[in-house]
Structures are given as structure tokens and as C-alpha cells.
Amino acid sequence: MKYCKCCLQPNTRPNSKFTPEGICPACDYFERLQYVDWQERYEILQDLLVQYKERRGVDRKFDCIIGVSGGKDSSRQALWVRDKLGLKPLLACLSYPPEQVTERGVNNISNLIELGFDVVISAPAPGTWKRLMRASFDKFTNWARSTELALFSSVPQLAIHYDIPLILWGENPGLQLGDLKTLGRTGYDGNNLRYMNTLSGGGLDWIREAGFELKDLIPYQYPTPEDFDRHELQIIYLGWFLGDWSLVNNGMYAAASGLEIRQDSVINTGDLHGVTSLDEDWVTLNQMIKYYKFGFGRVTDYVNEEIRLGRMTREAAIELVELYDDACGSNYIKSFSEYIGISVSQFWEKVRTSVNPALFNAQSDGRITRKFKVGVGL
Ligand SMILES: [Zn+2]
């Protein structure tokens, strides 16, 4: 395990590759951003939008579709697209079952609706949702494998349904996170999003193998490349056009527009500013598990951006990562275990089997301790 020389990204992130100088893809991208002509990019975006407007013809359709969770990124995108670009977006929201969604998540969607947007909400069948979540956890120790399929699939599915060829997406996971398989023809072309780690891991095959029938999996099926061609769908990453796209900045913009943020303490959540994945809380235990698999969690994602933006030193960041990168309140583990029908000790048993033994020691008293030194590696 090696760390990026600039930030605290280890080279254990899936689909990621450091430069020969030892710089992570996200820092490398950030460095190149200094030379970007943002006005030029804005004009590129304007030209693209004009093309889509012309193709759309009549004024009876939405200009574009945006997937929203009500969180910081989606709120910022929705407002920017409507108020700055002057478009009429349809917001697509995948709703979670009552056991999973937070009150704050519901309030944030209500806030978007009150801000005057048209929102279409899709709600996959809750029984299948729960059984799939259990199957994901059993197979990958990652409950979100199935729900992310639904989350990513819902937007192009609705785009086809409403005949809206233009899908606006926020972050470019290739450039901004370093998932290089998703890079497209241009920095804003998002049609390779289907190759991201979450979506490409065998698609639905493992779900079929777990005994689910295709007819129960409609919300989890990402439209095929042929579907994209037939409906001329284009995903565009807005993050590529926004010079100040970042976790904290988006959080600030959205909070100014009424976003309700997370109140629980960092020691329970690892959410330094309380602005990520607001619509549900089990993400916290998934981040903890990610940490035990790859050696980095939610705090690392936060501080890396702050380091790049020059708002935090690498030393201060190391301190935060050491303290909180494995943070997860026991209440979240308890409610999650109850939901999928296992005990808390079964939860931990499963988590321990997926701890990366190259990076961590499992102690006899149950504690999991790191072998690596944060910021230095192994
Ligand atoms: Zn880096």
C-alpha cells in the first residue's frame, strides 16, 4: 500500500492508478485544473445545450433529467441548471424504504419540491429491495451493491420513459475519484459511467445466481449500450464545467438553499462536515467496511479534497484520518442488522471475514487494528 505524495489517497482504490511520480489520479487531475479556461468550458456547455434544445423542438418536454437524492450535489446541480443555465429539468429521485430513509432525507427532497422543481419519485418494491440488500451483504459485505444498481439505473430508465435524451450527472468518477474505467471521449462524456466499479461488477449475474428472477429486477437493470443508442441518450458530467465542484463547496451552496445536514457527531459517522449521503445513515457502516477492505474511509475522501484545495495540511489530515476513518455508531449497525435479519454479532463476523489481512490485524478481543501507517503506507 502506497499513499499519494500530495494527499492521503492510497493506491488501493479499485480501478485506480498513480502516475510514475506517485501522484493519485484525482490530484493529477486537480493539478491540471489550474490551467483550465472555465469560460471556455462554460461555452462548450452552452453549445451542447443549444444542440439539445434544438433537437427537442417542441416545448412539451423537459430539457434534461437529473438524478437527485436531495443531498448536496443534487441540490446544487438542480439549482445551477435551472437558475444559471435556464433549463427546465426533471428531477428523478429513487426513494428508499421507510426503515432506511432518514427524516432529513425526506425533508431535503421536500425542500427541492418547494424550490419549485418537478420531481418524479420511483420506489422499487420494498421486499425485493430488502432481500437484495441481504444478498449483497452476504456476497460482497457491501449492502449497496444492489441499491446502487437501482440508483444508477433509475435515471436512464426514466430518461427513456420521458423521452429526455440529456442526462446531467454531477461528478466524473474517472477524473474526480480516479475510477479510470469510466473515462469517456471527453471530460464531460458520461456514457462510460456503466463501467464504474459499482455497475460493472458482473451486472445482474450475481443476483440471478442468488435466485432472483429477472422480472423482479426491472428497477436494477441499467439500460444497455443499444438502449442508449436507440434513444440517443447522453450523460454529461456537470462537475467538469464547474471550477469549484467539491464536497464541501457543494455542501455550502446547498445548505444556503435549505439543505438539512447531518447532526450526529464525527466520532459516530466519520462525516466531518455532516454533508454526505444525507438521505440515509447505513452508508456509515459501509464506509467503515470499505476502510477495512481498502484502508480508506469517508474521512479520507473529505480530507483529500481539503488538502488539494489548500485548506488543510497533510499532517492535520493524517490526524483526522487516524481518529475517525473507521467511525461508525453502533446504533447504525444495530438498525441495519435488524433490517436485513441478522444479529449484530453475525454482522461483525461477516465484516471480519472481509477485512484485508494485508492491511489489518484482527485481534483476539475483536478489535481490528491497522498494520499501515496513515500517510506512509506499508
Ligand atoms: Zn492525491
Side-chain angles (χ1 to χ4, degrees), residues 148-325:
E148 282 180 356
L149 282 174
L151 202 65
F152 281 89
S153 303
S154 64
V155 183
Q157 281 190 3
L158 286 164
I160 291 171
H161 182 77
Y162 281 90
D163 191 18
I164 310 169
L166 181 59
I167 299 170
L168 297 180
W169 202 261
E171 195 164 63
N172 179 334
L175 294 174
Q176 288 166 305
L177 293 173
D179 188 341
L180 300 175
K181 288 192 178 164
T182 62
L183 292 178
R185 290 168 295 131
T186 58
Y188 54 82
D189 171 21
N191 278 13
N192 283 341
L193 193 62
R194 67 174 61 255
Y195 301 116
M196 78 180 290
N197 194 39
T198 311
L199 293 174
S200 59
L204 289 178
D205 293 350
W206 66 271
I207 300 182
R208 298 297 306 283
E209 282 161 22
F212 291 84
E213 288 190 52
L214 218 44
K215 69 177 167 52
D216 293 326
L217 301 174
I218 296 166
Y220 303 86
Q221 296 175 42
Y222 196 84
T224 62
E226 292 73 36
D227 292 330
F228 266 67
D229 286 347
R230 196 174 319 123
H231 298 277
E232 298 181 61
L233 297 190
Q234 178 64 53
I235 301 177
I236 301 264
Y237 294 125
L238 279 184
W240 192 80
F241 298 99
L242 286 160
D244 60 348
W245 178 274
S246 80
L247 218 144
V248 175
N249 283 343
N250 291 1
M252 284 185 328
Y253 279 108
S257 308
L259 183 83
E260 184 179 326
I261 65 170
R262 181 175 272 112
Q263 299 299 338
D264 199 355
S265 61
V266 179
I267 201 152
N268 277 335
T269 63
D271 191 354
L272 287 182
H273 298 282
V275 295
T276 59
S277 307
L278 296 171
D279 46 358
E280 63 96 56
D281 284 326
W282 295 335
V283 63
T284 304
L285 61 97
N286 237 18
Q287 289 282 352
M288 174 190 74
I289 294 166
K290 178 180 92 178
Y291 172 76
Y292 290 137
K293 287 177 180 172
F294 302 108
F296 69 97
R298 178 142 69 180
V299 175
T300 298
D301 287 335
Y302 260 109
V303 297
N304 284 346
E305 280 199 354
E306 294 295 286
I307 293 171
R308 282 175 212 131
L309 293 166
R311 297 196 287 220
M312 192 183 283
T313 63
R314 202 168 180 272
E315 290 67 39
I318 288 174
E319 215 168 290
L320 289 170
V321 169
E322 283 181 341
L323 279 173
Y324 303 123
D325 223 9

